[in-house]
């Protein structure tokens, strides 16, 4: 969510973008590393209404 909200100010993943992310999530690099290693475990499934 933080990542996407920061795109409201910076359209690209340039240094100012990551600087802004870092002001909100100082440990963003560790979080990004975890996501890069584990993203294949994250899936979205459509839930049909009953």
């Amino acid at each position: 969510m933080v990542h996407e909200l920061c795109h409201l100010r910076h359209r690209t993943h340039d240094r100012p973008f990551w600087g802004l992310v870092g002001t909100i999530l100082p440990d963003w690099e560790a979080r990004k590393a975890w996501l890069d290693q584990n993203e294949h475990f994250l899936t979205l499934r459509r839930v049909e209404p009953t």
Side-chain angles (χ1 to χ4, degrees):
M1 181 65 105
V2 169
H3 176 106
E4 298 308 326
L5 288 173
C6 288
H7 276 305
L8 294 173
R9 185 167 294 174
H10 300 282
R11 295 283 186 194
T12 62
H13 294 114
D14 55 7
R15 186 177 298 270
F17 170 84
W18 290 113
L20 180 58
V21 171
T23 65
I24 301 163
L25 292 174
D27 63 340
W28 72 266
E29 291 176 283
R31 293 170 183 251
K32 184 176 183 313
W34 182 92
L35 184 59
D36 289 344
Q37 291 178 347
N38 295 287
E39 65 184 334
H40 62 281
F41 290 118
L42 306 174
T43 60
L44 296 175
R45 284 187 270 155
R46 183 177 176 159
V47 177
E48 297 294 331
T50 56

